[in-house]
Amino acid sequence: MAWAVFCFIVAVCLAQTACTRDEVAAAVATMAVEFEATLEPWGATTVANARALSTNVPAVIATSKAQPLSTLTFVDDLTPEGVAFAEEIVTRPEVPSSVAALPTAVSSPTTIVTPAPLPTDVPTSGPTSSPSPTSTQTPAPMATPTRVSIAESVEVTGGSMILIPGGFFQMGASADDMAAECGLFREGCQSDWFRASEPIHTVLLRRYYIDAHEVTNDAFIEFLNQSGTNCDGHICLDPEQSQLTLENGIWQAPEGLARHPVTGATWYGAAAFCQWREARLPTETEWEKAAAWDDTEAVARRYPWGDEFDGQALNFCDAACSEPQAAGDYDDTFAGTAPVASFPNGRSAYGLYDMAGNVWEWVADWYDPAYYEMSAEANPTGPETGEDRTVRGGSWFDTGNFTATAIRFPSSPDNSDKTIGFRCAADLP
């Protein structure tokens, strides 16, 4: 994919008659992340060959310039998102008429020298000199790259992680559309509530792992009993907002709640747990791709399972929820949290559980309602600073529309609440 997009960019430059060196450099830099992710599994030899790419660019251009853009076969390998993204990278400036065409190289004529005949008076009885043998140097064979197998899932403390492939995807949603969806659940919905999810934009992500479900009470107990309750100078957990108890210096979960998602953890507690597990909190972009994107259809889903709300696919505030906003048309029988992975019909396209409902989930990013208007095009990590962190996904306390995949809200990193949990992510080793 990365090579195809790069070639497409070169071809677009050719179609424009002229493309500056800076434009080609910018295009290569933009694709570097995805190209690197693609090459890593093939070993050091392939990476070394790729680093020599800059010396081969003139040859690529010379070979491709004679072909119309429409005849280049690599165009067929691009997704529509890849084509659109590449066309945005390469601009089409007008070429001044004063720019002279490059001279055409002319091959020099080949001179054939016919050796003169030997004189007849040369004695034939003398020794005949044999021509010196020509030394032929056999090139060393190139090492065959060995593809490293990447596991689609890995076991971790308390569950497993799922591999999310790298590539382009669209994130965000229309505030007007989200307000209309909100109106199906309650009155008084306003578009301004959802402006932070605009605009819809295309992002490039490297591949990564993310937990198949939310971190559970039993996993967090193991962390607390080993590491204590001080997380980077902040409390890790508020027992009054969690389901955990401390008895004789040992953290425990009441019977039947071990597989429920941990609640009451601060952002600092969530980040410390993931670090203890040799992982990290997912970025907001990673979280949204894992929740919303469907690679097969190349579309973002409004909810992890599809565009239509399904009250049987998640734990939200329904008839079992004793809150004024409860939706009486559904009943999942859970008045609070539910055991993780209780709703298989609510899985995302990548097979992740509980990306909608059950508990809000901490992500790594600081919160900025305008961030989607200025986020990086590749592997964004959120604002550099802020007052609040971001939570995603909705919870058992919320109406169904607030469990949509593009919903994003702020929460103080010191906040410990019975509606907030988290899951971890990890880079590839």
Side-chain angles (χ1 to χ4, degrees):
M1 171 64 182
W3 174 245
V5 172
F6 173 73
C7 292
F8 178 77
I9 292 168
V10 172
V12 172
C13 286
L14 297 174
Q16 298 172 183
T17 307
C19 190
T20 68
R21 184 179 305 170
D22 289 342
E23 289 166 343
V24 174
V28 173
T30 304
M31 296 311 305
V33 175
E34 174 67 6
F35 196 35
E36 178 187 353
T38 303
L39 291 179
E40 284 179 357
W42 292 87
T45 303
T46 305
V47 172
N49 291 338
R51 288 173 177 166
L53 178 62
S54 59
T55 63
N56 298 330
V57 169
V60 174
I61 294 177
T63 302
S64 304
K65 189 160 187 173
Q67 304 180 55
L69 183 61
S70 61
T71 65
L72 299 178
T73 58
F74 63 76
V75 175
D76 295 333
D77 295 332
L78 291 178
T79 64
E81 292 78 18
V83 173
F85 191 79
E87 288 179 340
E88 291 176 7
I89 294 171
V90 182
T91 59
R92 300 178 178 269
E94 293 184 1
V95 181
S97 57
S98 60
V99 177
L102 293 176
T104 303
V106 180
S107 301
S108 301
T110 303
T111 303
I112 302 176
V113 179
T114 304
L118 291 174
T120 55
D121 58 350
V122 175
T124 59
S125 59
T128 302
S129 60
S130 301
S132 300
T134 301
S135 175
T136 303
Q137 185 174 1
T138 304
M142 293 184 64
T144 302
T146 302
R147 187 170 182 84
V148 178
S149 178
I150 304 298
E152 293 186 0
S153 65
V154 292
E155 296 300 313
V156 295
T157 300
S160 63
M161 303 188 87
I162 303 296
L163 178 65
I164 307 298
F168 296 97
F169 83 105
Q170 284 189 328
M171 65 183 300
S174 161
D176 291 342
D177 289 347
M178 298 180 79
E181 183 77 3
C182 175
L184 301 177
F185 296 87
R186 55 173 295 171
E187 297 179 354
C189 298
Q190 302 174 28
S191 296
D192 287 345
W193 294 357
F194 310 104
R195 294 295 180 201
S197 297
E198 291 185 328
I200 299 172
H201 57 291
T202 299
V203 180
L204 175 64
L205 271 185
R206 65 171 62 90
R207 57 190 174 181
Y208 58 97
Y209 285 108
I210 191 168
D211 286 354
H213 56 68
E214 294 148 340
V215 171
T216 57
N217 281 325
D218 58 350
F220 203 78
I221 284 171
E222 185 175 346
F223 160 69
L224 289 177
N225 286 333
Q226 287 187 19
S227 304
T229 57
N230 186 320
C231 292
D232 194 24
H234 301 263
I235 65 168
C236 302
L237 177 104
D238 181 353
E240 294 184 0
Q241 295 292 321
S242 77
Q243 299 164 332
L244 308 184
T245 59
L246 184 63
E247 299 180 13
N248 300 321
I250 299 176
W251 288 96
Q252 301 179 20
E255 185 177 355
L257 296 178
R259 297 297 293 170
H260 282 238
V262 64
T263 61
T266 64
W267 182 91
Y268 300 101
F273 172 90
C274 291
Q275 185 176 17
W276 170 78
R277 221 187 65 186
E278 298 183 350
R280 56 176 174 78
L281 285 172
T283 66
E284 189 170 10
T285 306
E286 289 171 337
W287 190 97
E288 187 164 329
K289 180 176 183 179
W293 190 245
D294 182 341
D295 274 327
T296 302
E297 300 295 332
V299 295
R301 298 174 176 181
R302 177 174 293 167
Y303 299 98
W305 55 86
D307 289 337
E308 300 295 327
F309 183 78
D310 181 357
Q312 304 299 321
L314 78 165
N315 179 21
F316 76 115
C317 191
D318 56 14
C321 171
S322 58
E323 301 295 336
Q325 68 271 23
D329 295 340
Y330 304 97
D331 187 356
D332 58 24
T333 73
F334 297 107
T337 60
V340 297
S342 294
F343 298 89
N345 292 337
R347 287 177 295 174
S348 72
Y350 296 115
L352 274 62
Y353 294 90
D354 304 320
M355 297 298 279
N358 217 12
V359 289
W360 289 95
E361 298 183 15
W362 290 115
V363 294
D365 303 30
W366 290 106
Y367 179 80
D368 181 346
Y371 183 67
Y372 279 14
E373 299 175 5
M374 55 186 172
S375 66
E377 294 177 335
N379 302 307
T381 55
E384 293 184 2
T385 60
E387 295 182 0
D388 295 321
R389 295 289 182 171
T390 307
V391 291
R392 304 295 300 257
S395 76
W396 58 267
F397 184 83
D398 298 287
T399 55
N401 65 291
F402 285 106
T403 67
T405 55
I407 290 286
R408 50 195 303 260
F409 279 118
S411 183
S412 169
D414 286 311
N415 185 27
S416 53
D417 192 88
K418 61 183 179 182
T419 65
I420 301 178
F422 67 97
R423 72 181 70 211
C424 301
D427 300 316
L428 267 67

